[in-house]
Amino acid sequence: MIYIQGLVQSAILLGAILGIVAYLTWLERKFSGRLQSRVGPYLVGRPHGWLQPIADGLKLISKEDITPSRADRLLFNLAPAWIVVVSLLGFAFLPLTANWVLVNMDLGLLYFTAIGSLLVIGVFAAGWASNNKYALLSSLRSAAQIVAYEVPLLLSLLVPAILAGSLDFKDIIEAQESYWFITFPVIGQISFLIFLLAALAESNKMPFDLSEAESELIAGFNIEYSGMKFAYFYLGEYAHLMAVSLLVSIVFFGGPLGPLLPGGLWIAIKTLAVFLGILWIRWSFLRIRIDQLMMLNWKILTPISFINLLLAGLWVSLNL
Amino acid sequence: MHWDNIIFFLLATGLVSTSVAAVSSKRILRSAIFLAIALLFTAFVYLLLGAELLAGIQILLYAGGVITLIIFALLISEKLGDQKLVETHHGVIPALTASLLVLFILLYFTWSSPRIESLSNSRSLSEYGVSRTLSEVLFSTWVLPLEILSVLLLAAIIGALVLARQEKTKGEEREQ
């Protein structure tokens, strides 16, 4: 019985996330259009092209699905599915209102990061199975990037966990009753910034999207994919981005806490704000070089996040 | 109980088949991916047994970290491309003896050890949850082994750095 209930709940959650993600792509196109003094999609669906995501989806479904003749078929087909599944799995551990979460366990944060670390395998499989040198180069790059940025990502996520004294998202939210962790002097802001940078790098987003540097690598590890399989990568990317925004809004901005409105609405507003902030970063900065990227990680972000973690630990242990 | 059994057998089938596929696959990257899936199945089995922390660590370190390193090493090494691995049967007898020995040890000690039964009967779930209980025990009773282990790991990291460094300076000398 408990399994059936879980199945129904996860099906509802899945549908909701897919719908939201489809409209996040529309939002990004409108937002980036505004940032560049364009209007963005306009013609499909009259006020402001609101049917655009559906048209995109139909187009991608109806396209021919090509598998390169010398590709490794099994891995080539496995990779898009892997990326989508892993990106969507993260949502199972994130609370969506003050007291509703799909999988309720006291290790939510650990599980979320553990699942996130599986993404790189899909990227690898896609890049290698395509049998294309650009795809392979790109997947090597993004693997180096993801492995490297995992370090500051986890270290900066540990700071809110230390401040709350728990890995449970519910406890982390409760601990922010009096103040959000982003407002915690110095420690909170530093760990927020480091997390944001590392998360952008991990999801291969714009200042760090070296794995799809169009000028050098055409379009990256998914270059050989077409039709629905390409859509899977797109979906996975946006789902991951949305999960990261949701995580930031919970861990640093108090999640469902807020006056007047119900908790679910607050979480939605904060997630949207974080998502738009990420888009803003994405469309404002230029891509950096791979050596600069590694330098930034190992010589700046990692030491700072270690010191930050130590300071947080000191503060907590001195106050107890 | 009924459902738990069904799920256990599904997981066990997946685990065994992906493990066999990891060993018997002729393309080396496929083996790595199958190994990743097998490790994930192991994590699910841990979850089914109620070991949540162990499952999380399994996914984070083994399926995420170790497999990534393995694949990274594979992609950098030269034995890739369309080359399929040649299947040989040179070491059948030693390999079979070794694996049968391991199987025997596992089965024998699982069945004969008196502690197994007491372990299976005690479902120790404290009210704080696994992570808090474990960290308290880890930093009070077992703090010395933990620190020794971390020093060992630190030494390993520094050793790896030193090795990598030496190689680099040699290369530079050759260039000059």
Side-chain angles (χ1 to χ4, degrees):
Chain A
M1 197 54 220
I2 192 164
Y3 291 110
I4 295 169
Q5 194 189 347
L7 269 180
V8 170
Q9 283 184 347
S10 37
I12 294 172
L13 183 65
L14 190 65
I17 289 168
L18 292 184
I20 293 170
V21 163
Y23 270 87
L24 285 183
T25 65
W26 175 80
L27 187 72
E28 160 151 35
R29 291 172 71 171
K30 284 309 253 192
F31 190 74
S32 59
R34 287 292 166 197
L35 284 179
Q36 298 173 337
S37 305
R38 296 182 284 117
V39 279
Y42 194 73
L43 291 174
V44 188
R46 239 341 153 94
H48 292 285
W50 64 277
L51 281 174
Q52 188 69 46
I54 296 165
D56 283 347
L58 285 178
K59 187 197 86 172
L60 283 166
I61 289 172
S62 62
K63 278 215 167 181
E64 187 188 355
D65 179 38
I66 302 166
T67 307
S69 56
R70 295 185 66 194
D72 185 337
R73 265 176 188 279
L74 178 75
L75 291 185
F76 191 79
N77 291 327
L78 181 74
W82 181 284
I83 292 217
V84 169
V85 168
V86 168
S87 315
L88 290 175
L89 259 183
F91 285 99
F93 305 102
L94 292 168
L96 296 179
T97 67
N99 44 23
W100 190 84
V101 54
L102 186 62
V103 181
N104 190 10
M105 53 166 60
D106 64 341
L107 295 166
L109 196 61
L110 175 77
Y111 270 81
F112 184 84
T113 49
I115 300 248
S117 72
L118 294 177
L119 265 181
V120 61
I121 296 178
V123 173
F124 257 138
W128 187 75
S130 304
N131 206 354
N132 176 319
K133 59 186 165 196
Y134 294 111
L136 184 62
L137 277 175
S138 150
S139 65
L140 268 177
R141 262 192 189 183
S142 77
Q145 191 175 327
I146 292 176
V147 170
Y149 273 86
E150 195 100 343
V151 180
L153 184 90
L154 290 180
L155 288 177
S156 59
L157 260 188
L158 277 178
V159 170
I162 282 184
L163 292 180
S166 169
L167 289 170
D168 191 347
F169 283 119
K170 275 184 188 163
D171 293 346
I172 292 176
I173 291 171
E174 267 173 34
Q176 298 181 79
E177 288 273 6
S178 48
Y179 59 89
W180 296 352
F181 284 151
I182 180 76
T183 60
F184 194 89
V186 188
I187 298 173
Q189 287 101 37
I190 289 181
S191 74
F192 168 70
L193 277 180
I194 292 176
F195 177 75
L196 204 63
L197 284 178
L200 277 175
E202 233 209 341
S203 51
N204 293 321
K205 275 296 173 186
M206 203 10 189
F208 310 108
D209 68 337
L210 287 150
S211 64
E212 50 185 272
E214 285 88 351
S215 48
E216 309 151 26
L217 293 174
I218 328 181
F221 59 88
N222 52 14
I223 179 71
E224 292 289 355
Y225 285 88
S226 58
M228 212 45 210
K229 282 183 209 149
F230 177 75
Y232 274 13
F233 283 110
Y234 210 65
L235 182 68
E237 190 183 321
Y238 277 85
H240 185 68
L241 202 58
M242 185 183 153
V244 165
S245 316
L246 191 56
L247 180 70
V248 169
S249 77
I250 289 167
V251 168
F252 291 104
F253 291 95
L257 302 174
L260 296 173
L261 300 171
L265 209 56
W266 269 115
I267 248 185
I269 292 170
K270 286 169 185 171
T271 307
L272 194 64
V274 174
F275 184 77
L276 287 179
I278 289 176
L279 289 190
W280 198 357
I281 295 175
R282 180 181 181 189
W283 289 96
S284 306
F285 288 97
L286 293 172
R287 182 180 300 136
I288 62 177
R289 264 189 352 243
I290 185 88
D291 59 322
Q292 293 168 333
L293 182 90
M294 288 300 168
M295 199 86 90
L296 177 71
N297 177 53
W298 293 116
K299 294 194 175 168
I300 300 174
L301 292 186
T302 306
I304 291 180
S305 53
F306 264 119
I307 294 168
N308 202 30
L309 190 65
L310 271 179
L311 286 180
L314 262 182
W315 193 87
V316 168
S317 56
L318 291 182
N319 264 269
L320 278 177
Chain B
M1 205 54 219
H2 176 68
W3 276 98
D4 279 358
N5 282 337
I6 294 174
I7 288 178
F8 172 77
F9 279 110
L10 282 179
L11 286 179
T13 320
L15 177 56
V16 171
S17 52
T18 46
S19 309
V20 170
V23 179
S24 64
S25 171
K26 282 179 189 164
R27 296 189 186 175
I28 197 160
L29 203 88
R30 273 195 193 181
S31 304
I33 304 268
F34 280 128
L35 182 61
I37 300 174
L39 290 172
L40 280 181
F41 272 120
T42 323
F44 295 148
V45 174
Y46 288 157
L47 264 185
L48 201 65
L49 296 173
E52 291 175 356
L53 186 73
L54 193 60
I57 301 288
Q58 169 93 1
I59 298 174
L60 185 68
L61 287 188
Y62 286 89
V66 173
I67 291 293
T68 310
L69 285 183
I70 288 177
I71 298 179
F72 214 24
L74 287 183
L75 286 186
I76 292 173
S77 73
E78 291 167 15
K79 279 215 168 188
L80 266 180
D82 287 333
Q83 259 182 325
K84 284 186 184 172
L85 294 179
V86 186
E87 209 169 320
T88 56
H89 296 281
H90 295 314
V92 181
I93 297 167
L96 261 183
T97 13
S99 42
L100 281 179
L101 196 66
V102 172
L103 185 69
F104 170 73
I105 290 171
L106 282 178
L107 287 180
Y108 180 75
F109 283 100
T110 316
W111 261 316
S112 67
S113 167
R115 288 184 67 190
I116 294 288
E117 245 171 77
S118 64
L119 272 180
S120 68
N121 290 332
S122 69
R123 274 219 148 178
S124 56
L125 284 176
S126 69
E127 51 192 298
Y128 299 123
V130 193
S131 55
R132 175 158 295 184
T133 321
L134 187 82
S135 42
E136 263 165 19
V137 175
L138 211 55
F139 283 98
S140 55
T141 321
W142 300 100
V143 71
L144 189 65
L146 180 80
E147 289 303 321
I148 291 175
L149 268 183
S150 51
V151 169
L152 181 71
L153 284 179
L154 188 66
I157 293 173
I158 294 173
L161 273 180
V162 168
L163 286 178
R165 198 82 193 162
Q166 269 178 352
E167 221 163 276
K168 198 183 168 191
T169 46
K170 266 181 199 165
E172 281 168 1
E173 279 167 10
R174 220 174 287 145
E175 274 171 27
Q176 287 163 0

